[in-house]
Amino acid sequence: MAAQTADTSAGTSNTGASVDLGPATGLSCRECGTRFELGPIFACVECFGPLEVSYDLPLGDPEALRAAIEAGPDNIWRYAPLLPVPADVASKPSLNPGFTKLVDAANLAKELGFTGKLYVKDDSGNPTHSFKDRVVAIAVEAARAFGFTTLSCSSTGNLAGAVGAAAARAGFRSCVFIPHDLEQGKVVMAGVYGGDLVGIEGNYDDVNRFCSELIGDPLGEGWGFVNVNLRPYYGEGSKTLAYEICEQLGWQLPDQLVIPIASGSQLTKIDKGLQELIKLGLVEDKPYKIFGAQAEGCSPVSTAFKAGHDVVRPQKPNTIAKSLAIGNPADGPYVLDIARRTGGYVEDVNDTQVVEAIKLLAQTEGIFAETAGGVTVGVTKKLVENGQLDPSLTTVILNTGDGLKTLEAVAEGGGQTATIRPSLDAFRAANLA
């Protein structure tokens, strides 16, 4: 993507010190460290590296900070002092996502051979039934601050719905872009909020390239693309998963996490969130391992990890896990670094294993995951079988979306067990008692 600067980005003059994004103090390049003022920029003009939000975090009294968080609302705004949002964010119109269930998955643990605790962080409970509501909520606050009037995104489905819903609630126009062949459930959900939904002929990487071109064109004037020119802020929403998991574990770090990989941003930001909690003294510092999960039909990061490479070579996606079908993941190299630094691993499973894992989670814990959740559960099973994940340790796996969005994946062989006449004799004859 071409770098965007505060002077050339579309539709805003609100940058730098005039912007109120709470503890956020600026942006810094992940590669060369160059600093920038707060603004709708996402790439370093010196080296084209990705930009990260820098903070003035509330260091000093962890007990007081912990008490303030616990007294906050039951959504991501309880963590406002750690996010690039104004202090009064909870009073603004928002979908208020977050604080989803951390499910003690004892039945699944038994099935997979765990002797330690296994939890599922079930983000299907968010307003549009995926974790994307978290990242969009943060991006909306940046869009407000920078004076944008239209919210947009490139999406594999879940993000399109999250942007449409958040825009409707916050009073923005929305126009979002998706691959033309997405699952119908995601298409319908993204379109119901009244914004424009545009299918692009091609895969997600084609959609993303188009959006990058639109940002630099007068047609994109006043548009905030949540995962492009607002990406540094958008990505910070995934940190709230780390915050919630640790708080729900009694302010403790889990020993192991298994996280699905699309762009890789969620995994890298969860690691960032865990490191911030340690720095703030909100959790005790101890080792933890992060494992990445991909579908075999789109596994550029797992392929690079297993080969010992530092470069992630793009792939053409071919998998039912379309929400993870990003063949050129922007944060891929950083995922490799984190998996190696923490002693984790990056693994993949095929489409058959994805479907089996969706059914396994549903039949053990009553959680109907979309295909990304099937990837995570399937990879967890494979990691245990291969001895790469320790089943005696406290482990958290992520379900990032609702299975009702990807019904096609499990439709074959599903449905009614039997069709009978409304009589006891017919029920007896079906041998279901």
Side-chain angles (χ1 to χ4, degrees), residues 139-150:
V140 165
E141 295 310 309
R144 290 190 216 268
F146 301 138
F148 289 121
T149 56
T150 297

Side-chain angles (χ1 to χ4, degrees), residues 14 107 113 144 172 192 202 214 286 319 346 363 365-366 428:
N14 297 338
N107 296 329
R144 290 190 216 268
F172 287 83
V192 77
L214 183 55
K286 70 170 189 177
T319 173
V346 185
Q363 293 166 11
E365 300 299 341
R428 289 190 186 95

Side-chain angles (χ1 to χ4, degrees), residues 2-27:
Q4 299 288 313
T5 68
D7 292 335
T8 62
S9 50
T12 179
S13 60
N14 297 338
T15 59
S18 64
V19 173
D20 177 15
L21 289 177
T25 58
L27 301 173

Side-chain angles (χ1 to χ4, degrees), residues 1-5 8 42-45 48:
M1 299 174 185
Q4 299 288 313
T5 68
T8 62
F42 62 93
C44 176
V45 296
F48 300 102

Side-chain angles (χ1 to χ4, degrees), residues 5-364:
T5 68
D7 292 335
T8 62
S9 50
T12 179
S13 60
N14 297 338
T15 59
S18 64
V19 173
D20 177 15
L21 289 177
T25 58
L27 301 173
S28 62
C29 177
R30 271 199 252 184
E31 293 296 325
C32 71
T34 300
R35 297 270 302 185
F36 300 86
E37 289 187 342
L38 294 170
I41 56 177
F42 62 93
C44 176
V45 296
E46 299 296 330
C47 72
F48 300 102
L51 300 184
E52 287 273 333
V53 179
S54 299
Y55 294 94
D56 181 13
L57 291 175
L59 300 168
D61 188 347
E63 290 300 325
L65 178 56
R66 190 181 291 121
I69 289 171
E70 291 174 346
D74 290 336
N75 54 55
I76 62 172
W77 306 135
R78 68 199 284 115
Y79 307 110
L82 312 180
L83 297 169
V85 295
D88 64 348
V89 63
S91 67
K92 298 183 178 183
S94 167
L95 296 180
N96 299 323
F99 223 65
T100 54
K101 293 179 180 179
L102 184 68
V103 177
D104 184 347
N107 296 329
L108 179 63
K110 183 178 180 181
E111 191 71 26
L112 297 182
F114 274 78
T115 55
K117 298 290 286 186
L118 176 64
Y119 296 92
V120 175
K121 180 61 171 169
D122 186 12
D123 245 25
S124 67
N126 276 310
T128 69
H129 308 288
S130 90
F131 90 95
K132 293 296 188 180
D133 291 320
R134 298 175 181 272
V135 290
V136 171
I138 306 298
V140 165
E141 295 310 309
R144 290 190 216 268
F146 301 138
F148 289 121
T149 56
T150 297
L151 288 182
S152 187
C153 69
S154 52
S155 174
T156 57
N158 283 324
L159 182 57
V163 168
R169 172 69 175 143
F172 287 83
R173 176 195 175 225
S174 70
C175 181
V176 301
F177 301 91
I178 59 174
H180 70 287
D181 59 350
L182 278 187
E183 302 98 334
Q184 188 62 17
K186 290 181 179 177
V187 173
V188 171
M189 185 174 186
V192 77
Y193 300 109
D196 292 316
L197 178 65
V198 182
I200 299 291
E201 295 179 359
N203 60 31
Y204 173 81
D205 298 300
D206 298 315
V207 179
N208 205 37
R209 281 192 294 272
F210 168 78
C211 289
S212 296
E213 293 176 11
L214 183 55
I215 287 173
D217 190 276
L219 288 169
E221 181 74 20
W223 288 39
F225 289 78
V226 300
N227 56 341
V228 190
N229 57 355
L230 296 176
R231 188 175 182 83
Y233 313 95
Y234 159 94
E236 296 295 283
S238 288
K239 296 192 309 182
T240 61
L241 280 160
Y243 301 157
E244 288 179 20
I245 288 168
C246 290
E247 182 179 354
Q248 290 168 321
L249 289 175
W251 294 106
Q252 295 184 50
L253 293 168
D255 298 313
Q256 303 173 135
L257 298 100
V258 187
I259 303 168
I261 299 170
S263 72
S265 176
Q266 182 185 72
L267 187 149
T268 61
K269 292 305 188 294
I270 287 175
D271 179 65
K272 182 179 181 181
L274 296 176
Q275 291 297 311
E276 287 178 350
L277 293 179
I278 293 169
K279 181 179 180 180
L280 291 163
L282 293 175
V283 297
E284 181 182 351
D285 190 3
K286 70 170 189 177
Y288 60 85
K289 294 182 178 182
I290 291 184
F291 298 84
Q294 292 205 286
E296 185 181 285
C298 186
S299 55
V301 185
S302 104
T303 298
F305 184 90
K306 293 174 185 178
H309 296 162
D310 296 324
V311 175
V312 177
R313 295 176 180 267
Q315 295 181 357
K316 185 175 181 179
N318 182 23
T319 173
I320 60 170
K322 294 183 179 180
S323 59
L324 303 183
I326 297 179
N328 188 18
D331 280 29
Y334 303 104
V335 171
L336 296 176
D337 292 342
I338 290 168
R340 289 166 180 157
R341 170 174 56 81
T342 64
Y345 199 85
V346 185
E347 186 56 273
D348 55 80
V349 286
N350 62 40
D351 285 355
T352 298
Q353 291 169 312
V354 171
V355 173
E356 290 172 350
I358 291 171
K359 294 178 179 179
L360 177 63
L361 180 61
Q363 293 166 11
T364 56

